[in-house]
Amino acid sequence: MDTCKVPANASKCSMSTMECFMVLSTQAQKISIGILCGLFGTMCVFENTLVLYLIFSSPGIRKKPSYLFIGSLALADILASIIFVCSFVNFHVFNKAGFSKEVFLLQLGGVNTSFSASLSSLLLTALDRYISISRPSEYKLLMTRKRAWAALAVLWVTCATIACLPLLGWNCCVLDSVCSELFPFVDDNYQSGWVCFIMVLLGCIIYAYAHVLWRARQHVAYMEKHQAQVGKQNTRMRMDVMLAKTLVMVLAVLMLCWSPVLVLMIYSIFARLSDHLRKVFAFCSTLCLLNSMVNPIIYALRSKELFSSLRRVFSHFRRQLKVTEESPEAESNHKSSVIET
C-alpha cells in the first residue's frame, strides 16, 4: 500500500517530494505506459510529419489559410508527442527525478504549450470554417494569408506565455501556496486557471461548430433543392460542408480523449485524490497522444486535397522505386552488348 502523501503546501516543496508523484507501483503498469507512449508517440510524429509535408509541398494547398491552421495543429501535435513522451516516460517509467525544479517546470511548460496550441489551432480552424460557410462572398477578403499568419503568431505566443507562468514564478514553491495533487511544484490556483482556459477554448469551438453545422445543413438542403444547377458556388459549398464534417469528427475525438483528463483535474481541485485515481490520471494522459495520432488519419480519409496529394507522393515514390530497380538491369544489358561487340 502506498504511504507517500502529496505535499499540501510549499513547505514540503523539495525534490524528494517528486517521488510521491511517481504513482506507477508495478512493473506491469510501467511497461504498459511505456508501450502506449512509444506506440502513440511514434505514430503521431510520423503521421503529423506526413501531413506537414503534404501541406507545404503542394503550392495549391499551402496557400489556403484553412490548411495553415491544420499545419499548425500538426506541428503542435508533433511537439506535444515528443516532449510529452520523453518527459512522461522518463518520470513515470524510469522514475528519474534528478533534475531541478526549473527543468521540470520547463518540460511541463513545453507540454502545456503544445497541447494548448493544438486546441487553439482547432479553434482557429473552426472560426475559419465559420467565416467561410457563413460569409462565402467575403471570405477571401476577410481571411487572407497575412491575417492567418498573424493569428497563428498570437496563438503560439499566448499559449507559450500561459504555459510558462509556473516557470516564471507562479508555482507553490515561490508563492508558499497549496500545491497541485497531480503535478509537482504547480500551484493549485494555476491548475484551476489552466483548466478554465482549456474549457473556454472548448466552449468557443463547440459554439463555432454549432453554427457551422447549422449553415452546412442549410447548404445541403439548398444543393438537394437545386441539384440540376452545377457551378463554382455549389462546388464551394460541397467543399465547405465536407471540411466542416471532417473537423467535427476531429472535435468529437478531441472531446473523447480529453474529457477523462479534464474531469480528473477538475475533481482534484475540489477533493483529495486517492492513489488509484492518480494512477488512472496517468493512464488517461496517454489518451491525449491518441488524439494527436488520430487527427491526421481523419484528414487523410476526409480531405480530398490532402488525399490527392498523398496519392501523388505514393505514385512518385513507386516510380522512383521502379526506376531504381530497373537501373541495374539496364546497366547490365548495356555492358553485355559492349562485350559482344
Side-chain angles (χ1 to χ4, degrees), residues 260-331:
V261 172
L262 291 176
V263 168
L264 287 173
M265 290 181 71
I266 294 172
Y267 180 77
S268 71
I269 296 172
F270 301 100
R272 191 168 181 83
L273 295 177
S274 64
D275 291 331
H276 175 70
L277 284 178
R278 290 166 65 208
K279 290 179 183 178
V280 171
F281 179 79
F283 277 92
C284 288
S285 298
T286 61
L287 290 176
C288 302
L289 279 179
L290 178 63
N291 169 66
S292 299
M293 185 187 74
V294 171
N295 283 345
I297 299 176
I298 298 176
Y299 303 149
L301 292 177
R302 300 285 298 178
S303 174
K304 289 184 178 180
E305 291 176 298
L306 281 180
F307 188 71
S308 298
S309 181
L310 181 62
R311 289 179 60 184
R312 286 195 298 270
V313 169
F314 280 136
S315 298
H316 178 72
F317 178 75
R318 282 198 301 265
R319 287 196 300 268
Q320 290 291 109
L321 189 63
K322 189 175 181 181
V323 169
T324 304
E325 290 176 350
E326 291 178 351
S327 294
E329 183 179 347
E331 185 178 350

Side-chain angles (χ1 to χ4, degrees), residues 236-280:
R236 175 62 178 274
M237 287 181 180
R238 290 189 183 94
M239 290 176 61
D240 288 339
V241 171
M242 186 72 173
L243 192 51
K245 290 180 179 179
T246 299
L247 296 172
V248 168
M249 291 175 63
V250 174
L251 178 59
V253 173
L254 178 80
M255 293 297 294
L256 182 65
C257 294
W258 274 84
S259 293
V261 172
L262 291 176
V263 168
L264 287 173
M265 290 181 71
I266 294 172
Y267 180 77
S268 71
I269 296 172
F270 301 100
R272 191 168 181 83
L273 295 177
S274 64
D275 291 331
H276 175 70
L277 284 178
R278 290 166 65 208
K279 290 179 183 178
V280 171

Side-chain angles (χ1 to χ4, degrees), residues 93-155:
V93 177
F94 298 110
N95 297 139
K96 292 184 179 180
F99 41 82
S100 66
K101 175 193 70 177
E102 288 74 19
V103 172
F104 178 84
L105 291 177
L106 180 61
Q107 292 177 350
L108 184 62
V111 173
N112 287 345
T113 298
S114 303
F115 281 128
S116 300
S118 176
L119 193 57
S120 300
S121 297
L122 192 57
L123 174 59
L124 286 183
T125 311
L127 295 175
D128 173 76
R129 288 298 89 203
Y130 173 74
I131 296 173
S132 175
I133 208 167
S134 61
R135 305 173 72 176
S137 59
E138 304 173 44
Y139 174 75
K140 290 186 177 180
L141 295 176
L142 295 174
M143 189 58 68
T144 61
R145 280 175 53 84
K146 186 177 180 179
R147 289 180 178 178
W149 281 111
L152 288 176
V154 172
L155 178 158

Side-chain angles (χ1 to χ4, degrees), residues 220-232:
V220 170
Y222 176 85
M223 287 186 290
E224 289 177 351
K225 187 176 180 180
H226 303 81
Q227 209 167 21
Q229 297 180 3
V230 179
K232 289 185 177 180

Side-chain angles (χ1 to χ4, degrees), residues 26-210:
T26 66
Q27 196 66 22
Q29 292 173 353
K30 294 179 181 180
I31 292 174
S32 299
I33 283 287
I35 292 174
L36 289 175
C37 288
L39 177 62
F40 293 163
T42 302
M43 293 298 296
C44 178
V45 170
F46 172 76
E47 293 171 359
N48 284 286
T49 300
L50 181 60
V51 169
L52 283 178
Y53 175 77
L54 294 177
I55 290 174
F56 290 99
S57 65
S58 175
I61 294 178
R62 68 169 178 260
K63 291 180 180 179
K64 299 181 179 180
S66 302
Y67 288 101
L68 289 179
F69 298 145
I70 292 177
S72 174
L73 178 60
L75 176 61
D77 286 338
I78 291 173
L79 295 177
S81 61
I82 293 174
I83 302 173
F84 177 84
V85 168
C86 292
S87 58
F88 195 79
V89 171
N90 191 48
F91 187 82
H92 284 289
V93 177
F94 298 110
N95 297 139
K96 292 184 179 180
F99 41 82
S100 66
K101 175 193 70 177
E102 288 74 19
V103 172
F104 178 84
L105 291 177
L106 180 61
Q107 292 177 350
L108 184 62
V111 173
N112 287 345
T113 298
S114 303
F115 281 128
S116 300
S118 176
L119 193 57
S120 300
S121 297
L122 192 57
L123 174 59
L124 286 183
T125 311
L127 295 175
D128 173 76
R129 288 298 89 203
Y130 173 74
I131 296 173
S132 175
I133 208 167
S134 61
R135 305 173 72 176
S137 59
E138 304 173 44
Y139 174 75
K140 290 186 177 180
L141 295 176
L142 295 174
M143 189 58 68
T144 61
R145 280 175 53 84
K146 186 177 180 179
R147 289 180 178 178
W149 281 111
L152 288 176
V154 172
L155 178 158
W156 281 91
V157 170
T158 302
C159 291
T161 302
I162 293 175
C164 290
L165 287 177
L167 181 63
L168 298 175
W170 191 354
N171 58 74
C172 59
C173 302
V174 173
L175 300 177
D176 193 23
S177 57
V178 178
C179 295
S180 168
E181 292 189 35
L182 295 173
F183 308 100
F185 313 125
V186 173
D187 179 73
D188 205 40
N189 290 326
Y190 171 79
Q191 179 180 309
S192 303
W194 191 81
V195 170
C196 290
F197 172 64
I198 296 300
M199 296 299 291
V200 168
L201 287 179
L202 287 174
C204 292
I205 292 172
I206 293 172
Y207 179 80
Y209 273 120

